[in-house]
Amino acid sequence: MGVTVIYKTRCWIATVFLFLTTFCLSLSTSDAVAAAAAAEGHSEKSASKKTDWDQSKSHHGAVSLKLMHREQVALALGLAVVPPAQQQLPQLVANAIARSKSRVRYLNSRVVAKFGLKNSHAYQFVVAQASAATSLINAAPPAVASASGLLSTPASGGGQEYFVSLKLGNPPQEVLLAVDTGSEISWVQCTPCVVCYNQILPIYDPNKSSSYTVFDCNNKNCHITDGVSNVCSQGDGTCAYAATYGDGSDTWGSLSSETFTMESSISSSSGSAFVAAQEVIFGCGRLNQGLFVGSSGLLGLDRGTFSFATQMGVSFSYCMIDRMKTPNATSALVFGSSTSSGSAAAAADQPASAFAYTSMLNTAGKAPGLYYVSLVGIRVGKQQLPIDFSAMELNPNGGGGTIIDSGTYISFLPEQVYLPLQDAILKQAKLELLVAAAPPWSDLIPGGLQTCFLLPKSSSHHKSGSEESGIPPVILQFEGNVDIELDFHNVIIGPFDPGTNELYCLAFVNSGPLQQPPSICVAVIIGNVQQQNFLINFDLSNSRVGFKKTDCATAAAG
């Protein structure tokens, strides 16, 4: 009965969110808020202090993890799947764009939740009804998924583009977590489950760990933050968490702490490559449903209180490879100070002066803990685009603004930005716009891409048969005189036509007109393709984001 009530309530609350997000970008839709009762755990420990991690076992305080993109994550784990090279590029891109659309809905729903239903009677009703599920905690967990489960569903895993492998507990149990700069709480599926989706690795069992702790209602961490709702269960007095996502996916369970062990790719001074972070606050998920197929859960890296990055107390960096060009290579995720972070073992020591830094916007009380920066202009070649970016600034409603995001595949731009960018590139490169919806292009161009054209190999647009010389560079201009120059593979994507290899598209999505009066949606989202081959440093202590042009594949290989 409890679960039935929750599902019905989710449908109703999702309808309310759908109404609230009608005025967002054309991709925006609903978000559901739910909370639930807690589960069994060991006696409570103090979680008020900053997470402990042994930096003596890291390289100058930096820990580098292999960052795997979804097309090769199962292969990297030694599981039998179809190699990415054998998959059709148009289908891979179409799937990634479909996931990104769900991602955009989620990011916008966080803004809505910040100013919408958090303190409403509707939210309180959902919390009360969700607590009725306590009696179902002892339900048996599902079977482990097949190795190919992560890749089988075209639009599965909204926002799950990159993953890391960690170990939880003592003795350690391996988990595969989606890396998400747009979420606060880290969580994993736990046994026993009310409902769990299929995942590649065995489900984490807290009863097998001596370091697992579940919080009770008196713990100061049992409160509401931007990215996660925490409530007390009505059953045993333990603290429950809930997190919801814009595609209808959600998770709830016990707010807990555990030891997270990371295997660093950087050799440590003591000879050990394993670094343990103790008493990390996370969610032990008892009811998890939606588009998380394959992973064990999520590693939250936003600016919130419960974020893994915040708890680690250090900056973090990542360096994303060109995943379509080098599909079998891994990227890198590094935790460490801004003066000792890097892309991988060969680039672990990067001084702050090596980065071009722009400030993170102060979003306290105004927007959720996403990585907002100020985009002040775009230049194509030598042409400054006539765009009024002041109209897209972060507004008092929490909408607008520009974010750097790990979970969106390609950048989403409002029509006011997309169309001038498209026109300038086509004009300067002297390219003819193809009608993507008309044959024969409709059978080749991935859904969601609108600006496509032919780049004949014999023309001046190509160099050495593959590298471009005619596409003008696109320069993103951020506050603080920070100019980030995007090259060929950050600007266009393809080829999509087997044999001739001449069909390319702009690697941006037109998200439609930015609504006025001030929108409650994020205006610009900088996605993975535009971040590829940049070492990006999130310097939390100094509230800034740094960029350094880097060959991420070479750095990771080193």
Side-chain angles (χ1 to χ4, degrees), residues 45-399:
K45 303 174 185 177
S46 172
S48 59
K49 63 185 181 63
K50 186 174 292 185
T51 296
D52 290 329
W53 65 298
D54 189 353
Q55 296 191 37
S56 67
K57 294 183 178 181
S58 61
H59 183 77
H60 298 291
V63 177
S64 179
L65 305 177
K66 291 182 178 180
L67 189 62
M68 300 172 285
H69 61 77
R70 63 179 296 116
E71 285 82 22
Q72 51 84 248
V73 62
L75 187 64
L77 290 175
L79 302 173
V81 296
V82 177
Q86 298 178 23
Q87 302 181 42
Q88 295 284 338
L89 179 61
Q91 190 61 56
L92 287 175
V93 173
N95 292 349
I97 293 174
R99 293 191 300 271
S100 293
K101 290 181 178 180
S102 293
R103 175 68 171 184
V104 172
R105 288 193 289 267
Y106 163 59
L107 295 171
N108 286 328
S109 71
R110 284 198 64 183
V111 178
V112 172
K114 175 76 175 179
F115 294 91
L117 296 180
K118 280 283 187 175
N119 299 315
S120 69
H121 292 296
Y123 167 71
Q124 297 299 331
F125 177 73
V126 172
V127 168
Q129 295 300 324
S131 296
T134 305
S135 61
L136 297 178
I137 286 295
N138 293 322
V144 176
S146 65
S148 60
L150 182 67
L151 306 176
S152 60
T153 307
S156 66
Q160 295 192 34
E161 297 301 314
Y162 287 88
F163 301 80
V164 292
S165 177
L166 302 174
K167 298 182 186 299
L168 263 62
N170 184 22
Q173 303 172 48
E174 186 176 8
V175 294
L176 178 69
L177 303 182
V179 173
D180 190 356
T181 59
S183 293
E184 178 175 353
I185 188 84
S186 298
W187 59 269
V188 299
Q189 296 199 113
C190 292
T191 60
C193 282
V194 176
V195 175
C196 277
Y197 57 83
N198 287 338
Q199 65 178 57
I200 290 177
L201 298 174
I203 295 176
Y204 164 76
D205 186 350
N207 292 316
K208 294 181 178 179
S209 173
S210 62
S211 52
Y212 174 76
T213 298
V214 62
F215 296 155
D216 66 28
C217 291
N218 295 321
N219 189 285
K220 72 176 187 178
N221 293 296
C222 194
H223 61 87
I224 297 176
T225 61
D226 287 341
V228 55
S229 306
N230 302 331
V231 296
C232 285
S233 74
Q234 297 178 353
D236 57 6
T238 56
C239 186
Y241 80 94
T244 62
Y245 304 89
D247 56 12
S249 304
D250 51 26
T251 175
W252 66 254
S254 307
L255 189 66
S256 313
S257 71
E258 182 58 289
T259 297
F260 281 49
T261 300
M262 298 167 282
E263 183 177 4
S264 178
S265 61
I266 301 177
S267 300
S268 66
S269 57
S270 65
S272 173
F274 291 91
V275 178
Q278 300 176 347
E279 298 184 8
V280 175
I281 300 171
F282 79 113
C284 189
R286 308 289 182 167
L287 192 159
N288 319 286
Q289 58 182 349
L291 303 180
F292 302 113
V293 180
S295 67
S296 306
L298 184 144
L299 188 69
L301 293 179
D302 80 355
R303 300 168 70 183
T305 303
F306 291 158
S307 162
F308 184 75
T310 301
Q311 293 186 69
M312 291 288 282
V314 295
S315 70
F316 69 94
S317 307
Y318 56 64
C319 200
M320 295 177 177
I321 62 166
D322 184 337
R323 57 199 264 191
M324 300 304 176
K325 186 178 179 182
T326 51
N328 293 323
T330 55
S331 302
L333 173 67
V334 177
F335 293 97
S337 67
S338 61
T339 59
S340 62
S341 61
S343 59
D349 294 304
Q350 293 291 330
S353 59
F355 294 89
Y357 281 103
T358 187
S359 297
M360 299 178 193
L361 299 186
N362 182 3
T363 60
K366 183 184 296 186
L370 306 175
Y371 291 99
Y372 284 90
V373 293
S374 182
L375 181 64
V376 297
I378 295 179
R379 193 172 73 246
V380 176
K382 296 181 180 180
Q383 178 187 354
Q384 189 72 36
L385 299 186
I387 301 172
D388 180 13
F389 279 93
S390 64
M392 303 172 211
E393 292 178 351
L394 187 63
N395 62 58
N397 295 328

